[in-house]
Amino acid sequence: MTQLQEARKGIITPEMVQAAELEGITGEELRQKIAIGEAVLPCNINHQGLRPMAVGKGLSTKVNANIGTSDAYPELAPELSKLEIAVAAGVHSIMDLSTGGDIDEIRRRIIQDSPVMVGTVPLYQVMVDTHKAGRGLVEMTDDEIFAGIEKHCRDGADFITVHCGVTLEVIQELREQGRVMDIVSRGGSFITAWMLHHQRQNPLFEQYDRLLNIALHYDVTLSLGDGLRPGCLADATDGPQIKELITLGSLVKRAQEAGVQVMVEGPGHVPLHQIETNMQLAKTLCHNAPFYVLGPLVTDVAPGYDHITSAIGGAIAASSGADFLCYVTPAEHLGLPTEEDVKEGVIAARIAAHAADLVKGIKGAWEWDLEMAKARKALDWPKQIQLSIDPEKAGRMRKAKNEDSQERCTMCGKFCAYQLISDYMGTPFKGC
Amino acid sequence: MTQLQEARKGIITPEMVQAAELEGITGEELRQKIAIGEAVLPCNINHQGLRPMAVGKGLSTKVNANIGTSDAYPELAPELSKLEIAVAAGVHSIMDLSTGGDIDEIRRRIIQDSPVMVGTVPLYQVMVDTHKAGRGLVEMTDDEIFAGIEKHCRDGADFITVHCGVTLEVIQELREQGRVMDIVSRGGSFITAWMLHHQRQNPLFEQYDRLLNIALHYDVTLSLGDGLRPGCLADATDGPQIKELITLGSLVKRAQEAGVQVMVEGPGHVPLHQIETNMQLAKTLCHNAPFYVLGPLVTDVAPGYDHITSAIGGAIAASSGADFLCYVTPAEHLGLPTEEDVKEGVIAARIAAHAADLVKGIKGAWEWDLEMAKARKALDWPKQIQLSIDPEKAGRMRKAKNEDSQERCTMCGKFCAYQLISDYMGTPFKGC
């Protein structure tokens, strides 16, 4: 049985207990959220050693890091290293998007090594395999697509991105409306090319029940991909995007009815003032299923800094209801991320998630900031470093800028505001 | 005459023409904004070689970078280098907050070298001078404070931060309400200590007309400091902060009546969902004077990444009405920024400002993103790099991650979404 089916029967599974503990809520509270589809607990029956975490309404905002090889960088070792770095930086989920090297081996090793949930996009591998076999991508058959999906599920992927909402009707909408960047989702663009070539409906939509059966068997959470994700601000919140979202809403319902856990993916590039609207639409159109966003990036013009453009968008998105943030690294739009990029991306997304958790009133969020404020007031440097979201970096920067013995920092030096005012307000101060 | 006085008389000054040109509006449009106090044009009559820029409603969001020495780092050269780096990174304003070395010489050189407006906090130097003279800080006299202010104005400071709103009544409010971090503003904490010691009203409040006379003479824009700026989320939007803001509102009116240009400074550390309220309050309480914010930082727990916490807050603040963002560097809460920190801080704040300019509908903002989107769609790499907010970094990262000859990036490699979809949608694509 899937976690959803168990939850509906009133059963609190060991995975629910573990995940609830991390949130500071009871297993029963989490069970209820899962039962009504407002939360998912991605944990493939074949993923050994997973620390299960739940994603959804009323839970802390989760962060995913994408890693994986490409044909230019096919080695396993750097990706395992990125996994380790991301987990150490506090990530809650990893997606393996490998398209180079021994993809099966890479995925299996990542799942084996990862203590956090692992997601994949099975279609990518099917594309690579077809290409390697010397065939045109559009020659891929339905059976090959579903076999690829089943392989990833059997290997223990906790969730998979499936672009089921890219229908002929949505593509027609796109053709009529036009866009600056058309389709920027890799999976979405391939499915579209396939459909246009064969003049056939999307097999992931047409044979959705086949997909549900596979997901049901391994308790894989479906992450309904947004193939029509806007690739630039000018394309945001347009007809094709929202039409696909409506379709995803109906697929959410069918998955839940079948007992399959499901969440929905969202944009993308979105102007700041359209983000809240996007989140509300996602929740109303998709029956409050957990919403997983890539960014959103609030401007197109900052390659090299898209961890920042997406931290801005992600914080607003999560404050307005998004449950799960996919990190964006400084390398976005330029190439694959280095290990350093991975860490920067995870921390930036965690900052966005935490800023939103403060708004959501998530347990422990406010207390964390309060503890830091008290440590600052007391000029308690070891405590400040320890409470930092990245103690390693904060400690390193503090050390580089100040002699160890100084209690005040070089910013104010002798004219420390805390010291000045504490003397006169009679508030406690561990003086210099 | 000040720019405000000229504007009221219907005169479009050469400075207004220059500043209006940068905004893509007419001199008359800018004159009207200045005349009603919704915009300021900081340009001290003694700042030679200044490229004047205006700050206020309907104008592009401006970014300031704080630089300056401390007792631990008293050298001039690194600060001039930071000035150069900040200007090259596109900053619109520099504040010299020096408290170490030959402060007069440092300020004069920065003003001389800076093509952008320069702000200072005269009180800092008066504090240092008093300390150097072997006297207790609270022994500083009213006359010394005003002499210090006049010196900075005579030297060509385009705007000065003056903590006029820290009154005995505001401090009483603080004592009654209590706070986790009391006062974190250096100027605010000193003024408070001085007032409590002497049991006297704030001279900058009591003798506000004296201040106005100095500002009038040199056309220095007053930047009314928020001495009660919250230093942590728990202290945000509380009685003391808002009481001071009300006081600043009355001082705005008096400045404008006297023909003195004036803007208002704002927080600080503010939870994400309180930012819009803060901006609205600032505008209504302060008669729509330009609002200049430090951050706001949306969480306390990310030292080492406060350029990101403040980019999140700054983007939301500026979208909700803030006109001027003070950058925050990765070094905030840890020490003085390095040259690298300065650049990161400026770019992060410019991203926040631009994300807001897209919302504000500022001329040229939308077009910039649209051009980038078109360059991306066309895989036109030189154009993408050129359009980047930091072409140097984008170019460097692109080069490190990809062979020069490749048109596709390593992210998708052979499975480039743009290429796939362009083939089938019949949209223009400069194929690989």
Side-chain angles (χ1 to χ4, degrees):
Chain A
M1 277 201 295
T2 65
Q3 297 289 332
L4 172 55
Q5 291 172 318
E6 304 255 26
R8 286 219 188 110
K9 292 204 170 168
I11 299 165
I12 302 170
T13 65
E15 291 81 10
M16 291 179 204
V17 173
Q18 278 183 272
E21 232 171 54
L22 293 174
E23 306 284 340
I25 61 175
T26 66
E28 171 57 19
E29 284 172 303
L30 181 55
R31 186 199 64 74
Q32 288 176 18
K33 290 174 192 290
I34 294 170
I36 57 173
E38 290 188 358
V40 291
L41 183 48
C43 47
N44 187 309
I45 56 169
N46 287 342
H47 186 179
Q48 308 301 323
L50 169 70
R51 288 195 315 247
M53 284 188 209
V55 177
K57 199 171 167 183
L59 306 173
S60 64
T61 308
K62 304 301 184 299
V63 168
N64 172 75
N66 290 341
I67 61 173
T69 56
S70 67
D71 50 351
Y73 296 94
E75 298 302 324
L76 169 64
E79 301 313 309
L80 289 181
S81 171
K82 287 179 194 171
L83 165 65
E84 205 179 313
I85 285 164
V87 170
V91 88
H92 311 105
S93 165
I94 288 285
M95 285 191 83
D96 168 28
L97 307 184
S98 291
T99 57
D102 185 345
I103 299 177
D104 283 337
E105 169 66 9
I106 292 162
R107 179 179 58 260
R108 285 162 194 160
R109 282 296 302 278
I110 287 175
I111 291 172
Q112 182 189 309
D113 285 13
S114 176
V116 299
M117 57 180 126
V118 176
T120 70
V121 189
L123 193 62
Y124 290 175
Q125 188 180 11
V126 187
M127 288 163 70
V128 173
D129 289 347
T130 307
H131 185 264
K132 272 188 185 157
R135 296 155 60 204
L137 284 189
V138 292
E139 294 174 46
M140 187 189 300
T141 67
D142 305 11
D143 286 348
E144 285 167 344
I145 293 174
F146 285 99
I149 289 171
E150 174 126 34
K151 181 164 65 172
H152 282 225
C153 293
R154 198 170 47 236
D155 282 351
D158 300 296
F159 64 96
I160 56 171
T161 296
V162 275
H163 301 85
C164 306
V166 185
T167 61
L168 286 170
E169 295 68 32
V170 167
I171 296 171
Q172 183 56 28
E173 184 74 27
L174 173 62
R175 275 202 154 145
E176 282 170 18
Q177 303 258 4
R179 261 189 173 183
V180 177
M181 292 193 71
D182 294 328
I183 301 181
V184 298
S185 147
R186 255 193 296 185
S189 66
F190 165 73
I191 287 281
T192 302
W194 191 96
M195 288 160 69
L196 292 174
H197 178 84
H198 294 286
Q199 288 295 309
R200 265 191 56 197
Q201 187 53 284
N202 179 351
L204 294 170
F205 176 78
E206 211 172 36
Q207 302 168 56
Y208 189 58
D209 288 334
R210 196 171 167 185
L211 181 60
L212 292 179
N213 278 332
I214 300 171
L216 202 58
H217 185 76
Y218 300 98
D219 194 3
V220 169
T221 299
L222 295 185
S223 189
L224 299 176
D226 55 334
L228 276 288
R229 181 172 76 234
C232 61
L233 298 195
D235 293 341
T237 331
D238 69 350
Q241 182 199 328
I242 305 306
K243 193 158 188 170
E244 182 189 34
L245 193 61
I246 295 171
T247 308
L248 296 182
S250 71
L251 296 176
V252 162
K253 220 171 168 186
R254 284 175 59 191
Q256 290 174 343
E257 281 165 3
V260 171
Q261 301 196 84
V262 62
M263 58 185 172
V264 177
E265 297 185 10
H269 292 239
V270 182
L272 191 146
H273 62 305
Q274 292 178 14
I275 294 175
E276 194 179 343
T277 300
N278 269 270
M279 298 308 119
Q280 287 181 344
L281 275 175
K283 288 288 181 172
T284 58
L285 296 176
C286 297
H287 317 287
N288 293 312
F291 197 47
Y292 174 29
V293 294
L294 176 59
L297 283 62
V298 293
T299 173
D300 304 331
V301 303
Y305 297 89
D306 278 326
H307 58 310
I308 297 180
T309 65
S310 69
I312 296 171
I316 298 168
S319 299
S320 320
D323 307 287
F324 195 10
L325 303 179
C326 184
Y327 85 167
V328 174
T329 79
E332 185 75 16
H333 297 112
L334 296 168
L336 281 183
T338 61
E339 296 180 0
E340 199 186 329
D341 293 331
V342 166
K343 184 181 168 184
E344 283 282 310
V346 170
I347 299 288
R350 281 189 61 212
I351 287 170
H354 177 65
D357 284 351
L358 288 159
V359 176
K360 290 176 176 177
I362 297 301
K363 274 191 189 164
W366 186 258
E367 291 72 14
W368 184 8
D369 287 63
L370 192 58
E371 280 311 297
M372 177 62 94
K374 288 177 181 169
R376 278 208 176 116
K377 176 69 179 169
L379 285 182
D380 183 342
W381 284 101
K383 190 81 182 283
Q384 286 181 59
I385 301 302
Q386 177 211 319
L387 285 168
S388 296
I389 198 163
D390 180 0
E392 184 276 318
K393 185 178 182 188
R396 178 164 38 84
M397 288 181 71
R398 159 85 185 149
K399 206 169 171 184
K401 289 172 195 298
N402 303 273
E403 295 165 33
D404 255 359
S405 60
Q406 285 190 326
E407 281 203 325
R408 293 162 301 190
C409 70
T410 49
M411 203 149 188
C412 295
K414 275 197 284 282
F415 305 99
C416 170
Y418 305 158
Q419 186 178 28
L420 258 175
I421 204 63
S422 290
D423 294 347
Y424 284 90
M425 297 293 288
T427 45
F429 179 75
K430 192 179 146 216
C432 303
Chain B
M1 277 202 294
T2 65
Q3 297 289 332
L4 172 55
Q5 290 172 319
E6 304 254 27
R8 286 219 188 109
K9 291 204 170 169
I11 298 165
I12 302 169
T13 65
E15 291 81 10
M16 291 179 204
V17 173
Q18 278 183 272
E21 231 171 54
L22 292 174
E23 306 284 340
I25 61 175
T26 66
E28 171 57 20
E29 285 172 303
L30 180 56
R31 185 199 65 74
Q32 287 176 18
K33 290 174 193 291
I34 294 170
I36 57 173
E38 289 188 358
V40 292
L41 184 48
C43 46
N44 188 309
I45 56 169
N46 287 342
H47 186 179
Q48 308 301 323
L50 170 69
R51 288 195 314 247
M53 284 188 210
V55 177
K57 199 172 166 182
L59 306 174
S60 65
T61 307
K62 304 301 184 299
V63 168
N64 172 75
N66 290 341
I67 61 173
T69 56
S70 68
D71 50 351
Y73 296 95
E75 298 301 324
L76 169 64
E79 302 312 310
L80 289 180
S81 171
K82 286 179 194 171
L83 165 65
E84 205 179 313
I85 286 164
V87 170
V91 88
H92 311 105
S93 165
I94 288 285
M95 284 192 83
D96 169 28
L97 306 184
S98 291
T99 57
D102 185 346
I103 299 177
D104 283 337
E105 169 66 9
I106 292 162
R107 179 179 57 259
R108 285 162 194 160
R109 282 296 303 278
I110 286 174
I111 291 172
Q112 182 189 309
D113 285 13
S114 176
V116 299
M117 58 179 126
V118 176
T120 70
V121 189
L123 194 62
Y124 290 175
Q125 188 180 12
V126 187
M127 288 164 70
V128 173
D129 289 347
T130 307
H131 185 264
K132 272 188 185 158
R135 296 156 60 205
L137 285 189
V138 292
E139 294 174 45
M140 187 190 300
T141 67
D142 305 10
D143 286 348
E144 285 167 344
I145 293 173
F146 285 99
I149 289 171
E150 174 127 33
K151 180 164 65 172
H152 282 225
C153 293
R154 198 169 48 234
D155 282 351
D158 300 296
F159 64 97
I160 56 171
T161 296
V162 275
H163 301 85
C164 306
V166 185
T167 61
L168 285 171
E169 295 69 31
V170 167
I171 296 171
Q172 183 57 28
E173 184 74 27
L174 173 62
R175 275 203 153 144
E176 281 171 18
Q177 303 258 3
R179 260 190 174 183
V180 176
M181 293 193 72
D182 295 328
I183 301 181
V184 298
S185 147
R186 255 194 296 185
S189 66
F190 165 73
I191 287 280
T192 301
W194 192 96
M195 288 160 69
L196 292 174
H197 179 84
H198 294 286
Q199 288 296 308
R200 265 190 56 197
Q201 187 54 283
N202 179 351
L204 294 171
F205 176 78
E206 212 172 36
Q207 302 167 56
Y208 188 59
D209 287 333
R210 195 171 168 186
L211 181 60
L212 292 179
N213 278 332
I214 299 170
L216 202 59
H217 185 75
Y218 300 98
D219 195 3
V220 169
T221 299
L222 295 185
S223 189
L224 299 176
D226 55 334
L228 276 289
R229 181 173 75 233
C232 62
L233 298 194
D235 292 341
T237 331
D238 69 350
Q241 182 200 327
I242 305 305
K243 193 157 187 170
E244 182 189 34
L245 193 61
I246 294 171
T247 308
L248 296 182
S250 71
L251 296 176
V252 162
K253 220 171 167 186
R254 283 175 59 192
Q256 289 174 343
E257 281 165 4
V260 171
Q261 300 196 85
V262 62
M263 59 185 171
V264 176
E265 297 185 11
H269 291 239
V270 182
L272 191 146
H273 61 306
Q274 292 178 15
I275 293 176
E276 193 179 343
T277 300
N278 269 270
M279 298 308 119
Q280 286 181 344
L281 275 175
K283 288 288 181 172
T284 58
L285 295 176
C286 297
H287 317 287
N288 293 312
F291 198 47
Y292 174 29
V293 294
L294 176 59
L297 282 62
V298 294
T299 173
D300 304 330
V301 302
Y305 297 89
D306 278 326
H307 57 311
I308 297 180
T309 65
S310 69
I312 296 171
I316 298 169
S319 299
S320 321
D323 307 288
F324 195 10
L325 303 179
C326 184
Y327 85 166
V328 174
T329 79
E332 185 75 16
H333 297 111
L334 295 168
L336 281 183
T338 61
E339 296 180 0
E340 198 186 330
D341 293 331
V342 166
K343 184 180 168 185
E344 283 282 310
V346 170
I347 299 288
R350 281 189 61 211
I351 288 170
H354 177 65
D357 284 351
L358 289 160
V359 176
K360 289 177 176 176
I362 297 300
K363 274 191 189 164
W366 186 258
E367 290 73 14
W368 184 8
D369 287 63
L370 192 58
E371 280 311 297
M372 177 63 94
K374 288 177 181 168
R376 277 207 177 117
K377 176 69 179 169
L379 285 182
D380 183 342
W381 284 101
K383 191 81 182 282
Q384 286 181 58
I385 301 302
Q386 177 211 320
L387 285 167
S388 296
I389 197 163
D390 181 0
E392 183 276 318
K393 185 177 182 189
R396 178 164 37 84
M397 288 181 71
R398 159 86 185 148
K399 205 168 172 186
K401 289 172 194 297
N402 303 273
E403 295 165 33
D404 255 359
S405 60
Q406 285 190 325
E407 282 203 324
R408 292 161 303 190
C409 70
T410 49
M411 203 150 187
C412 295
K414 276 197 283 283
F415 305 98
C416 170
Y418 306 158
Q419 186 178 29
L420 258 174
I421 204 64
S422 290
D423 294 348
Y424 284 89
M425 297 294 288
T427 45
F429 179 75
K430 192 179 147 214
C432 303

